[in-house]
Amino acid sequence: MFKRISFLITFLIVLVTVVAGGFWSGGATDSVQPAVAPGAVEAQTANEPAEAAVSKEADWQKQPEQQSQPVKKQKWYDNQVVVLTYHHVSDKTDRQYEISPSELKAHLDFLRENDFHPISLTEFLRFVDTGVLATENAVLLTFDDGYESYYTEAFPLLQQYGYPSVNFLIAGRLRDSVDRKRPNMTTPLSEQEVNELLASGLSDIGSHTYSLHEQAEKNEWGDLTPQTAPVYLEDLSRLENEQEYKNRLYVDFMMSRVALSQIAKKEIRVISYPFGFSNETVTETAKQAGYQYAFNSRPDVVKAGTNRFELPRYDVGMHTFDTQKLLELFTKVKTGF
């Protein structure tokens, strides 16, 4: 009798285990899988199942609440925007105007933990036009030069935090052919990558000229100046005249705006001046080429009434600009000193 009871108890335990196991297995099969970060599809090989590619992105998918300190609700400022500028994102070189992925993440953590709110380019331009801004502690995140590292390093982080941003592209460097990866060249974005970024809804683009993001001689002694300034015509042994200068700027500005508008399938209305250089001729030519807003590199906040062709920014995309300096920057904005 005792043996029969023991057998029945054992049988019931096994039955419950099997039924429960089938239930939970079925639940896991029907669960929604997370989205894959940019570049994950290309990384998946023919011998690697989709589930493996998705699992690699698990850390990327974690929400900032799981990775950062709690948000400190506070008011730093209102009715103004702090525009931050970045360039290349890499930990493989030590150039001045670049930042590593971990350093960029530290910046994003700082923004989130201190209750700053990155806004879209559309919201920013609406503020410039109307002076109306519903967001306190507003920040606009901008990236110059259109490097591929924005797609591979910066954007996955920005997407994780849900932060919008805008990248100012050098249109003449965009291409999908193999010469994007020439030796000693920082790889630019491809048109396909730009399209993917735009489709995300978190990324926007603007112009950084077509091919004037270089320096050129400004006199017979070989002194250098941005190519958006008057340059020395070596074959004529003189500085270009005003009309030659305007024509060169107009052709470049227009080529960039038209090319980027075709890629974005919308009108590109914003330009970021290379090296932040501008003068009256640059501004007037940008207007004639169809731009309605322009950024320079003067460090200041954007307020209601700021000249839309002289929009200032803070360049923080450097190894030397850590979160302590970010704190100092925003403290100065808050106190006005």
Side-chain angles (χ1 to χ4, degrees):
M1 181 67 177
F2 176 75
K3 290 183 178 179
R4 291 180 62 188
I5 294 174
S6 298
F7 172 78
L8 287 174
I9 292 174
T10 302
F11 174 79
L12 289 173
I13 292 174
V14 172
L15 180 61
V16 170
T17 302
V18 171
V19 172
F23 172 79
W24 292 114
S25 297
T29 303
D30 296 334
S31 64
V32 178
Q33 296 296 324
V36 180
V41 175
E42 290 80 0
Q44 182 179 332
T45 66
N47 296 322
E48 181 181 26
E51 291 80 6
V54 171
S55 67
K56 289 181 179 180
E57 301 304 322
D59 291 338
W60 175 84
Q61 286 293 329
K62 289 179 181 177
Q63 296 302 310
E65 288 78 7
Q66 297 172 298
Q67 300 182 0
S68 308
Q69 297 299 316
V71 176
K72 303 171 185 176
K73 292 293 183 182
Q74 54 189 307
K75 180 176 178 179
W76 292 80
Y77 53 82
D78 59 6
N79 297 320
Q80 56 188 6
V81 181
V82 172
V83 185
L84 303 181
T85 304
Y86 298 89
H87 303 267
H88 189 33
V89 182
S90 174
D91 55 8
K92 296 181 180 179
T93 62
D94 195 30
R95 297 182 304 184
Q96 181 180 3
Y97 292 104
E98 72 176 21
I99 192 170
S100 72
S102 61
E103 290 165 338
L104 176 60
K105 183 181 182 303
H107 281 207
L108 301 182
D109 281 339
F110 173 90
L111 294 178
R112 178 188 170 276
E113 292 163 10
N114 289 279
D115 203 24
F116 291 102
H117 303 289
I119 61 176
S120 68
L121 179 63
T122 298
E123 186 176 359
F124 173 80
L125 297 181
R126 187 184 303 120
F127 168 63
V128 172
D129 288 340
T130 67
V132 177
L133 183 66
T135 306
E136 290 184 351
N137 308 335
V139 174
L140 179 67
L141 301 175
T142 71
F143 290 75
D144 278 2
D145 306 325
Y147 294 128
E148 189 176 49
S149 63
Y150 173 73
Y151 175 84
T152 59
E153 304 292 347
F155 185 73
L157 282 172
L158 293 165
Q159 194 171 34
Q160 175 182 328
Y161 287 76
Y163 287 170
S165 61
V166 55
N167 199 306
F168 293 101
L169 310 178
I170 303 169
R173 296 181 183 177
L174 294 177
R175 50 179 65 85
D176 291 300
S177 54
V178 294
D179 64 342
R180 286 175 54 245
K181 300 180 181 293
R182 295 195 300 270
N184 302 319
M185 173 184 178
T186 303
T187 305
L189 288 162
S190 69
E191 292 187 21
Q192 178 181 340
E193 289 167 343
V194 172
N195 286 326
E196 289 183 38
L197 292 165
L198 290 171
S200 73
L202 278 178
S203 182
D204 214 330
I205 64 171
S207 170
H208 205 35
T209 74
Y210 189 85
S211 61
L212 295 185
H213 195 288
E214 303 292 345
Q215 291 187 319
E217 294 182 358
K218 64 179 181 179
N219 54 40
E220 61 268 36
W221 297 286
D223 296 329
L224 297 178
T225 187
Q227 285 190 350
T228 43
V231 300
Y232 185 73
L233 303 177
E234 188 174 357
D235 54 336
L236 299 177
S237 301
R238 64 170 175 81
L239 192 70
E240 63 185 344
N241 61 40
E242 184 69 12
Q243 192 58 54
E244 291 168 333
Y245 177 40
K246 289 181 179 179
N247 290 345
R248 181 169 60 83
L249 291 177
Y250 180 81
V251 170
D252 181 278
F253 290 178
M254 180 61 78
M255 286 177 62
S256 179
R257 194 177 72 82
V258 170
L260 295 177
S261 295
Q262 290 176 344
I263 293 173
K265 297 179 178 59
K266 65 177 182 179
E267 287 298 315
I268 297 300
R269 304 181 294 161
V270 188
I271 187 170
S272 163
Y273 298 132
F275 307 103
F277 177 85
S278 66
N279 56 30
E280 185 177 346
T281 299
V282 170
T283 298
E284 289 305 312
T285 305
K287 293 178 181 178
Q288 293 169 6
Y291 295 98
Q292 299 175 34
Y293 312 87
F295 288 89
N296 56 34
S297 297
R298 179 174 60 87
D300 202 353
V301 299
V302 177
K303 302 178 180 179
T306 298
N307 188 328
R308 67 175 60 188
F309 281 89
E310 297 179 5
L311 298 170
R313 301 186 289 173
Y314 293 93
D315 200 331
V316 300
M318 297 170 281
H319 294 300
T320 55
F321 212 104
D322 57 16
T323 54
Q324 178 58 38
K325 289 190 175 181
L326 269 184
L327 176 60
E328 293 171 4
L329 186 162
F330 284 107
T331 300
K332 288 180 179 179
V333 172
K334 180 178 182 178
T335 61
F337 296 100

